[in-house]
Amino acid sequence: AQTVTQSQPEMSVQEAETVTLSCTYDTSENNYYLFWYKQPPSRQMILVIRQEAYKQQNATENRFSVNFQKAAKSFSLKISDSQLGDTAMYFCAFKAGGTSYGKLTFGQGTILTVHP
Amino acid sequence: SQTIHQWPATLVQPVGSPLSLECTVEGTSNPNLYWYRQAAGRGLQLLFYSIGIDQISSEVPQNLSASRPQDRQFILSSKKLLLSDSGFYLCACNTGLEQFFGPGTRLTVL
């Protein structure tokens, strides 16, 4: 079974600054995928970024990028030029490849507050 | 792209009453479907998943059940609600490598 750990229950950052959210996971799988989801106050889950484990290059989506350290089983999210609209709960999630039926295992989340 | 509908958006039910939450998906066929519960605004717990009509797998023992009578319809039910069933319920579907979520149902059991 997989576990996902987010050790930062809450984080805060000033607008336009950079913040990094941490995530570690434990698995015996070699083929898997990692995700960061954002849940704003509306509670709609929004996919932020995806990383395939077989790819060495870190994924990037505009102001969002990841630092994927496969050997360390670490998957952190960096948000650059933080905006007020980035205020949300952020979840790290793991999905095994193969016949896992696409099931996701989530961390407990990090509440991020962006201050003006 | 797919769209996921859930209803109702909010529900307040007394302990011991039945429950039926519905999820429908548009824009995709033969999706894998999932029910998650989020308690107290924290992590999501997978309750059920389905890879096809009438094919349901339960991830945790509980007071709830799920059914999939049609390809793009997924229903979460209970015969008698418990206080501990309160939470935010999310339906999701897989599209390729990614999983997308519906808007959720907030259930309060009193």
Side-chain angles (χ1 to χ4, degrees), chain A residues 101 103, chain B residues 33 46-51 54-60 62 66 74:
Chain A
Y101 304 111
K103 295 180 289 182
Chain B
L33 298 174
L46 178 63
L47 302 177
F48 300 94
Y49 69 94
S50 170
I51 62 171
D54 295 330
Q55 299 180 70
I56 311 293
S57 296
S58 174
E59 287 292 292
V60 293
Q62 58 202 309
F74 203 23

Side-chain angles (χ1 to χ4, degrees), chain B residues 71-91:
Chain B
D71 180 48
R72 288 173 286 179
Q73 183 184 30
F74 203 23
I75 298 171
L76 185 69
S77 304
S78 174
K79 292 182 179 178
K80 290 185 178 182
L81 283 168
L82 306 173
L83 287 174
S84 57
D85 292 323
S86 292
F88 189 63
Y89 289 83
L90 287 154
C91 178

Side-chain angles (χ1 to χ4, degrees), chain A residues 27-52:
Chain A
T27 184
S28 58
E29 302 278 343
N30 192 48
N31 176 28
Y32 55 88
Y33 306 86
L34 296 163
F35 306 85
W36 278 98
Y37 281 87
K38 168 185 177 181
Q39 188 179 43
S42 67
R43 302 197 79 172
Q44 175 72 55
M45 291 287 284
I46 302 166
L47 178 64
V48 174
I49 200 164
R50 180 188 85 223
Q51 175 77 43
E52 290 89 335

